[in-house]
């Protein structure tokens, strides 16, 4: 058993841990990063990157199916599951490789492999080989998939999204349980790649969407292209000779389905519980998490900082990276800590059409004291969306009465990832709805659908005129 | 011969004329719109809309050709030219229909058909049937294609882009002369739709691009997928039994090419020359255009206003619509005219990858007194672009030394139409490069390529740190 005395110990070498490390180095070289598993981030290994690769293949397959309406006839489309997964994995490995390479270049005295357990606010036990005494500690231990216990009886027929990305080919069929971000993205992609897919959800709720109009539209869109049980209670799961059987309640009926695999997209769970965190002497809230300051990363007024998915605040790469930068910097400069303004909220779900949530959510506004108005536009008849046959979806934008300030939006529709950036930058820079309307909108673009929604919002705010039907100054089919 | 006395006469019922009409109506009902040809805007009939429809088909065809690398095999692709053009035309007709419908609903006393000629500042002669005496006149007469005279000898083998969109099918081959916006868009689309296409330009210049780095990249990209003579002098064109023959000088060699058709994409010419404008008594500048105020539309201090493409200022639908709104409003409220701030400049070219120009152009900055820095990023290794196999192109962003103000950008690359909006809004709201970097960038998105360029710009402005290679806090493959 060795003992290390460091200025900053960082638990976890994922996205948040890596940025925390780089920030802490600005203050001290006496830093150690403790990693319990393999190097490489959730994002690169099993998250953003491989899912986007699978979606890219699915999108191509879907485009081919749409080709006839453009006058392009395709015969003999064969989805080569081996080749699909080959590209997903080789590109994924390339991205993971960059992360591993970065870690390899760290001095060896900055790395420690093992499971960290708190002994006190300033002491960590790493497996049974090292005791780390740290002036400050950054907790960036990430998450792991959360799977109902009984499902483990399915053995190799139970998948979490990690497993999907190690497939050598595509299965014939799959049950995806969970209509969160991962459940929606993966089930649509697999369905478009020819896998018989059944998506199960509870309470007709989809991911983090809070606006009921958008939630309903997503329900309608997904139901139109895959088998969707958006309000079902999975009763039992069982392994069969050739796969699995699910028994579930839906519309007061007990039903049964058979599939090759069950993908548990039932969320991820913080690794905080594996750290013996109670020994740090911090009070936890009802959800079992410590209270911390988003602008500093500091847990109460302790020498402890928290960053990334482990905090349960916002499991998004760009937020984790900011968390890490802030927490690592403050752990390094402690006690002279600094608050850093956070970016405007932005979430994107890479279904087709995509989903984006920006700024204040509809549910937050309803719960708040804010007097707000809503503008809405459909993409069904939006010119450019129709030109490219992507005319599905709805956008809802929210603005504050009296001030005309743009507050946020929820949307399912074409190019939502790009509109999400435009809208979150507008929240960040505190634009009014009128200032947004005064900005350039080219023609013919999908952004013109956003403009229609903003015009309706401005009317509802009593700050703009009645929008012109089939607006000609917007250009034909704006 | 009848005589009409009106408050506002508007020459032209295109985009600018239609918005001018609607604005003028806010002040007076005694308005007349004079149209010399058919109703329906350039945008709807032969411009933005049909070209985007053709491009949509070409994009699908191209995607199918890319499918194998994603693991999707297609054994037979047949481009059904009849069906391609059927969709282009039926959708186009639908958009034109909306425009025509709007005009049909105008009161008949607001419409006059015929060629307008100025008799004086306040008098117009319409064909030989009507004399219009107007308190104020809005000139929104639009443009027509400009084609070298001798080419008319090709008769039905000479096409302007108007003709392309009335095709019933696709030809075997075509020579496209002109590397402006239309030449680039149409030649790439036709080439991707299986038409043997030869694009001719002069001086290796592409559209309005002014940054030599971007211009070179576009040259390279286009040359990689179609026959490109980007610096050729067309000497003679002749009709043959089966099509046309072009003789041209290229690299000091006289060459010959044979094609079904010649598409003259040699620009458009203002219709001002058809209005006997000299009778209005306005001094013209060297280019033959009147001096006018962009913020009011007013020609010098006269009772005349100008709007849309006819002015040669910026042949873009959204600018023409603003022009019309401003000019129509001021013609109605004359002499109490108002200045309206214009939107930040934004141009988009719908090639693949797309091209966008935002804010101040590189050439304008070089000619100005502004001390500026440049940030650059390639999309070749940009994560998301690579995931979707759209990793081509370069972005260059410009910022002002000392203030850090973001000035503009030129780009060829994926999703440029969307990045163009984000960037032009940033110019419009006078963001600094640092404020842009402080805004949300999701992961993995194409916007991360923009962020890389902005980081390099901020470094060059001495306002930011050295960007981290393969930046991990940007996420793997940002």
């Amino acid at each position: 058993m060795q003992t290390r005395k460091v200025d900053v110990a960082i638990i976890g070498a994922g996205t948040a841990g890596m940025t925390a490390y780089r920030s802490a180095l600005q203050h001290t070289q006496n830093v150690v990063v403790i990693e319990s598993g393999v190097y490489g981030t959730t994002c690169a290994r099993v998250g953003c990157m491989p899912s986007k690769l699978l979606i890219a293949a699915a999108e191509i397959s879907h485009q081919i199916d749409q080709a006839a309406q453009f006058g392009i006839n395709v015969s003999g489309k064969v989805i080569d599951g081996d080749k699909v997964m080959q590209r997903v994995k080789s590109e994924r490995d390339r991205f993971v490789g960059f992360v591993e390479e970065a870690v390899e270049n760290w001095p060896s005295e900055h790395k420690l492999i093992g499971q960290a357990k708190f002994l006190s606010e300033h002491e960590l036990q790493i497996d049974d080989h090292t005791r780390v005494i740290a002036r400050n500690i950054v907790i960036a231990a990430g998450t792991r998939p959360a799977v109902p216990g009984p499902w483990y009886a399915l053995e190799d027929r139970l998948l979490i999204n990690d497993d999907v990305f190690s497939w050598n080919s595509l299965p014939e069929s799959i049950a995806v349980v969970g209509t969160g971000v991962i459940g929606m993205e993966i089930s649509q992609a697999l369905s478009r790649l020819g896998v018989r897919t059944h998506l199960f959800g509870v309470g007709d709720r989809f991911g983090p969407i809070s606006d009921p109009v958008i939630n309903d539209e997503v329900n309608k869109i997904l139901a139109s292209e895959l088998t969707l049980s958006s309000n079902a209670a999975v009763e039992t799961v069982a392994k069969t000779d050739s796969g699995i059987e699910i028994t579930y309640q839906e519309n007061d009926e007990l039903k049964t389905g058979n599939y090759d695999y069950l993908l548990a997209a039932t969320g991820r769970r913080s690794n905080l519980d594996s750290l013996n965190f109670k020994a740090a002497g911090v009070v936890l809230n009802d959800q079992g998490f410590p209270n911390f300051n988003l602008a500093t990363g500091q847990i109460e007024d302790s020498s402890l900082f928290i960053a990334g998915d482990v905090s349960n605040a916002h499991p998004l790469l760009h937020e984790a990276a900011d968390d890490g930068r802030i927490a690592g910097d403050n752990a390094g400069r402690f006690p002279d800590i600094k608050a850093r303004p956070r970016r405007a909220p932005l979430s994107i779900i890479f279904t087709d059409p995509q989903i984006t949530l920006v700024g204040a959510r509809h549910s937050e506004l309803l719960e708040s004291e804010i007097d707000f108005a809503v503008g809405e536009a459909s993409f069904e008849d939006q010119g450019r969306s129709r030109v490219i046959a992507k005319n599905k979806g709805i956008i809802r934008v929210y603005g504050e009465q009296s001030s005309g300030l743009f507050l946020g939006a929820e949307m399912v529709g074409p190019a939502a990832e790009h509109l999400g950036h435009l809208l979150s930058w507008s929240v960040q820079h505190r634009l009014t709805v009128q200032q947004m309307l005064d900005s350039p909108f080219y023609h013919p673009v999908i952004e013109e659908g956003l403009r229609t929604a903003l015009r309706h919002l401005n009317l509802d705010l009593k700050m703009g005129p009645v929008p012109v039907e089939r607006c000609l100054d917007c250009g034909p089919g704006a």
Side-chain angles (χ1 to χ4, degrees), chain A:
Chain A
M1 176 85 90
Q2 60 165 346
T3 299
R4 290 274 307 272
K5 280 184 111 164
V6 297
D7 290 333
V8 177
I10 297 163
I11 307 172
T15 298
M18 293 178 95
T19 58
Y21 171 66
R22 191 148 63 77
S23 292
L25 284 185
Q26 304 293 316
H27 304 282
T28 170
Q29 287 298 308
N30 193 5
V31 177
V32 69
V33 181
I34 304 147
E35 172 60 47
S36 68
V38 290
Y39 288 113
T41 61
T42 300
C43 164
R45 279 202 183 280
V46 299
C48 345
M49 299 316 283
S51 64
K52 266 27 95 283
L53 285 158
L54 196 73
I55 288 166
E59 172 69 13
I60 293 280
S61 173
H62 181 70
Q63 291 270 47
I64 293 171
D65 297 341
Q66 303 289 305
Q69 67 179 293
F70 290 92
I72 307 193
N73 301 323
V74 175
S75 56
K77 183 185 98 169
V78 177
I79 296 166
D80 183 337
D82 294 26
K83 274 179 62 190
V84 168
M85 291 312 302
Q86 232 165 48
R87 178 172 195 265
V88 170
K89 290 196 291 184
S90 77
E91 286 291 311
R92 188 265 314 258
D93 291 348
R94 188 175 159 272
F95 291 123
V96 172
F98 294 143
V99 178
E100 290 174 337
E101 197 184 302
V103 176
E104 265 168 38
N105 290 332
W106 295 356
S108 62
E109 66 271 23
H110 287 178
K111 290 182 277 192
L112 206 46
I113 291 285
Q115 172 65 49
K117 305 256 184 209
F118 275 89
L119 300 172
S120 73
E121 186 180 334
H122 294 282
E123 273 174 306
L124 295 168
Q125 173 74 39
I126 316 304
D127 286 352
D128 51 8
H129 54 75
T130 312
R131 193 162 147 259
V132 172
I133 301 170
R135 197 163 56 80
N136 292 94
I137 298 175
V138 176
I139 302 160
T143 59
R144 62 185 185 279
V147 178
W151 296 8
Y152 284 104
L154 297 179
E155 296 174 328
D156 60 336
R157 294 289 166 168
L158 169 69
L159 307 173
I160 51 172
N161 63 326
D162 306 38
D163 303 311
V164 170
F165 304 120
S166 59
W167 280 344
N168 290 322
S169 192
L170 295 169
E172 185 273 325
S173 60
I174 195 164
V176 178
V177 183
T179 47
V181 174
I182 292 169
M184 283 192 281
E185 287 184 0
I186 301 280
S187 63
Q188 188 185 40
L190 291 178
S191 169
R192 288 182 168 192
L193 288 167
V195 179
R196 179 170 62 86
T197 305
H198 193 152
L199 175 61
F200 293 87
V202 177
D204 300 310
R205 289 291 308 272
F206 294 88
I209 302 167
S210 84
D211 189 316
V213 176
I214 304 301
N215 195 74
D216 285 0
E217 181 77 2
V218 169
N219 197 334
K220 231 169 28 188
I221 289 169
L222 287 178
S224 73
E225 65 171 280
L226 50 77
T227 308
L228 175 63
S229 296
S230 56
N231 188 19
V234 172
E235 302 271 334
T236 61
V237 302
K239 200 171 174 180
T240 64
D241 287 349
S242 61
I244 60 140
E245 184 170 274
I246 297 187
T247 321
Y248 59 100
Q249 285 278 356
E250 190 179 26
N251 302 325
D252 294 325
E253 254 185 87
L254 195 67
K255 301 178 183 176
T256 304
N258 285 275
Y259 318 91
D260 285 351
Y261 294 98
L262 185 154
L263 171 62
T266 36
R268 295 181 71 89
R269 183 185 174 129
S270 169
N271 286 329
L272 193 66
D273 57 5
S274 60
L275 301 179
N276 188 40
F277 188 56
K278 63 180 185 300
V282 172
V283 179
L284 302 182
N285 64 24
D286 293 349
Q287 284 81 46
F289 291 94
N291 296 315
F292 71 101
N293 184 332
L294 260 175
T296 63
Q298 190 179 24
I299 295 175
E300 294 187 339
D301 56 358
S302 72
S303 61
L304 303 171
F305 296 82
I306 192 162
D309 297 2
V310 71
S311 79
N312 220 20
H314 38 219
L316 298 172
L317 177 124
H318 73 283
E319 298 280 10
D322 283 346
D323 281 354
R325 246 189 307 266
I326 293 169
D329 179 53
N330 278 328
R333 60 166 60 246
F334 184 88
D336 170 31
I337 66 170
K338 299 281 183 214
R340 307 275 171 193
R342 302 300 300 235
R343 294 169 214 266
L346 169 63
S347 296
I348 297 168
I349 304 169
F350 293 85
T351 45
D352 174 34
Q354 299 171 333
I355 298 162
T356 190
L357 309 182
V358 164
R361 296 197 186 163
H362 188 255
S363 57
E364 290 169 1
L365 292 171
L366 285 179
E367 286 159 20
S368 74
E369 304 282 294
I370 298 168
D371 185 10
F372 73 104
V374 181
E376 181 180 316
S378 160
F379 287 95
E380 217 160 293
D381 208 23
Q382 199 275 322
R384 180 67 183 294
S385 307
R386 199 180 148 109
V387 162
I388 58 174
K390 292 270 186 199
N391 49 328
K392 275 185 190 172
I394 294 177
I395 181 167
R396 303 245 300 167
V397 288
Y398 320 123
E400 188 178 47
Q401 295 284 7
S402 308
S403 73
L405 204 66
F406 175 65
L407 297 171
E410 298 195 18
M411 164 185 178
V412 54
E417 62 179 307
H418 304 299
L419 270 63
H421 280 85
L422 196 60
L423 291 172
S424 67
W425 287 36
S426 299
V427 170
Q428 170 111 5
H429 301 291
R430 300 180 190 280
L431 300 189
T432 64
V433 176
Q434 186 61 55
Q435 285 177 311
M436 294 165 78
L437 283 168
D438 290 340
S439 305
F441 291 87
Y442 210 72
H443 178 74
V445 294
I446 292 163
E447 281 78 359
E448 294 174 291
L450 160 63
R451 183 176 57 189
T452 302
L454 290 173
R455 283 183 172 155
H456 285 283
L457 174 56
N458 221 23
L459 173 67
D460 209 14
L461 292 170
K462 296 170 199 66
M463 293 183 175
V466 177
V468 181
E469 182 95 23
R470 296 220 179 276
C471 178
L472 292 165
D473 26 325
C474 321

